[in-house]
Amino acid sequence: MSEADTAAVVEELARLSEGELASVDAWWRANNYLTVGQIYLQANPLLREPLRPEHIKPRLLGHWGTSPGLAMLYAHASRLIRRTGQQMIYLAGPGHGGPALVAAGYLEGTYSEVYPHISPDEEGLRRLFRQFSSPGGIPSHVSVTTPGSIHEGGELGYVLVHAFGAVMDNPDLVALAVVGDGEAETGPLEGSWKGISFLNPTRDGAVLPVLHLNGAKIAGPTVLARKDPAEVRSLLEGHGYEVVEVEGDDLPGMHHRVAAAMSWALGSIRSIQESARSGDWDGRRPRWPLVILRSPKGWTGPDQVDGVQVAGTWRSHQVPLSGVRDNPEHLALLEGWLRSYRPQELFDDDGSLSDLVLDANPEGPLRMSASPHANAGSGSGELVLPDFRDYALELSHPARHRAESTRRLGAMLADVYRLNPHDFRLFCPDETNSNRLGAVFEVSDRCFAETAFPDDVALSRDGRVMEVLSEHNCHGWLEGYTLTGRHGLFATYEAFAMVSASQTIQHSKWLEEGAQLPWRRSAPSLNVLLTSTAWRNDHNGFSHQGPGLIQNVITQRGSVSRVYLPPDANCLLSVADHALRSRAYVNLIVIDKQPQLQWLSIDEAIEHCARGAGVWEWAGTDDGSADPDIVLACAGDVVTMETVAAAAILRERLPQLRVRVVNVVDLMTLPRPKDHPHGMGDTLFRELFTDHVDVVFGFHGYPGAVHQLVHGRPDADRFHVRGFIEEGTTTTPFDMVVRNRASRFDLVMDAINNARRTPTGAAELKEWCRAQLDLHAAYVVEHLEDLPAVRDWSLGDWAEDG
């Protein structure tokens, strides 16, 4: 599309007829009225009688200040949708503007469709008002209960990453992302403007950011609102945007200016996309449009209260009139405020919306509150997966062969890319090769819309492997991608998953609440692979050593939380296949990328992962005829090796001690069934762990996690957990387990100390273990590597007869 053609289209779109202006303004006033009503009223929703204190809620909660601006943008976006048929979703970064987005869904009719008791009449209005921020009602944010939402906004900073994720591989969608000026101060938001550096206009949709500067946050000014406007413009232009600014509070002037700005933005987007999709594109990153909206905080609300300026200040952020039930003057101000929107023009006699308001709405699924894109509806459905068995390692015996387990997963993911050219992406902070997943580059380059140089490798605008050195961006892009119906995997170093841990928690909460809503479609799971783990970041040091995300995930509801600790490549393949097929879970998979001993054949791995935990009979000296003297349990790849090595030492040096080895791959089998749906039944738990024998448990994460999970099991105090205890530095691999008292020698001594009986030779074996630890300490300082007997350890030939 030529510049002249674009200008003509924009000019036509921007022209507001008298009828359009009247309808859009009525819709906006109706939204403001409903917003105020939700904050204040529990009765008399249409002001059929003068307001009285009993009409007011006993607890006034909610946020008014940002809502009028959000509603203005929504009204004009809907106008453009009606004019052009553009598919669009609305993401409200200022999530505190929840009542405005709930009101939008009600005005569009979607709310009554999904919640029939909130009917489009006076009684429905009363219920709409009463439920807001009330017990048994809805939250004050743009939460999962809000039709059309994929972004709550309660925790600030993620609106742009969700928007960019939503439009990837979604060419017909525009995500309107409103960035609040308070939100713009957060680190995640500051890092997310660069999303346009990863969009390809030929195959992706577009994000339209609107920086909504109303001047204040909850108790003071915001940085960008107080900056020289030229500096703000320069900042955003430096990120690569073409900026248009809208400012004021005059009516109808603001309607005309907002209409012109939004029309220009949509026209620019369509021009960029049409040029790219017609082949008339030089490959350079486009300058995508961005709107800055400056409108007063609390626009159209009380100007002054008790002689103090409220409108345009931080005082309008929440509830401008707080003493309404007890202060007649405040009550009169509230009634005047509500009547200023002329509700008699907005509602018919029965409380239904007037035609003047309804005329502003798009139809059917074009309504932003009814968009299938915002309800997991953009993808083609289930992910097409190859047979994971095709990537399995062939094993003749356990613990003979070493391999980089994640490299096998990388080969599988390459074929997932081949089979799903529009519905799957890998998101990784510049670590795809480092994490041994580089086989995906056989199929797809890294995505990059900025300038590519000749010596770049696997980098192009057409790539679909998403690498950016920001956990927040990667995590948030995947969230937006899955909530709109596509599938993916976020892979990162284990320690730095904590950078985005709060996002993991917030997404879990979203899925937990979404599961309670029958109208919400089940979205693909959020799959997180943690590698470069705490135990094998010996070269990077203490800053890279932290297994904390496990703790976060296990505390979420069992309906959502899943934690897998596959000990080898074949178990990893089985677990990954299950995770990629699943929906509405947070699947946390933890395994290291370094060469590691392999334990199970693919058939054994499938059976083991299906059960979640099992006895490795070949590793112990327990034939099942009687209870063992001690149970050695393990969950996690490195501690599994240490546990099996400990069992081998006991087999060789104390053969009369009956040792059972239990490996746990699905961590959530440890709780009781009533605490988690994966929790194993009492009978199986006793089969594995007995109900009275002590258990020495080698665990990948913090020991407290296992104690938390086995709470309520028979004699839970008999579990003695060895895990990461915040001991780390730049050192050798084996020294990491020694420092955290989880080495094979520590486990042997624990086994002896806690076994039901003490065989002859136990004291000598403990002394030998101490001597080995002393030998290790001296050897690593002298030789800068681990003892050969440890470094090169495997089970040996005896396993053939075991």
Side-chain angles (χ1 to χ4, degrees), residues 615 617 620-628 630 657-661:
V615 175
E617 295 178 358
T621 54
D622 167 39
D623 61 8
S625 61
D627 282 343
I630 192 72
L657 188 71
R658 296 172 59 85
V659 178
R660 178 180 298 174
V661 176

Side-chain angles (χ1 to χ4, degrees), residues 507-530:
H507 192 79
S508 298
K509 292 176 183 292
W510 180 279
L511 295 177
E512 289 167 0
E513 291 303 293
Q516 310 302 314
L517 301 171
W519 59 269
R520 277 279 180 190
R521 293 184 61 188
S522 180
S525 294
L526 182 81
N527 300 308
V528 181
L529 172 68
L530 302 186

Side-chain angles (χ1 to χ4, degrees), residues 263-286:
S263 299
W264 164 81
L266 183 58
S268 297
I269 287 169
R270 291 197 157 189
S271 178
I272 291 168
Q273 292 176 336
E274 288 179 19
S275 295
R277 295 170 190 180
S278 66
D280 183 20
W281 179 37
D282 61 9
R284 291 184 296 177
R285 176 189 51 75

